[in-house]
Amino acid sequence: RFRNAVWLRSGGHCEVCGRAVIRTLDVLREDAGHVAHNRGRRVAPADKYNPDAATLQCSRCHLASHGMRFA
C-alpha cells in the first residue's frame, strides 16, 4: 500500500525531474522508478510507511540523491 500510494500520487513521473518512470525490478534502467524516503528509515522510523515522507524518483535522480552518478 505504501509504494502504491507514492506511485499514484506522482502519476508515474519522477518527482524531482518529471521524467516518466516504469515499475521494474531492473533498478539499473534509467527509467526505473524508485520509492525513496525523504529522510532515512533509521533516522525517522515512524515514517517508514508514510507515503507523505517519500518521493518517486528515476534512477538518475535517486543515485544523485546518494552522491552517485548514473553510468
Side-chain angles (χ1 to χ4, degrees), residues 59-71:
S59 291
R60 186 175 298 275
C61 292
H62 188 241
L63 287 173
S65 73
H66 291 286
M68 296 180 267
R69 288 184 7 189
F70 195 82

Side-chain angles (χ1 to χ4, degrees), residues 16-70:
V16 178
C17 71
R19 175 181 293 148
V21 295
I22 62 169
R23 290 182 187 215
T24 180
L25 295 177
D26 184 2
V27 297
L28 298 179
R29 285 182 58 146
E30 192 170 351
D31 60 349
H34 300 265
V35 175
H37 289 83
N38 298 338
R39 294 173 42 202
R41 290 177 293 182
R42 291 183 184 166
V43 175
D47 287 336
K48 183 175 182 177
Y49 296 112
N50 180 2
D52 295 328
T55 57
L56 181 64
Q57 299 177 0
C58 65
S59 291
R60 186 175 298 275
C61 292
H62 188 241
L63 287 173
S65 73
H66 291 286
M68 296 180 267
R69 288 184 7 189
F70 195 82

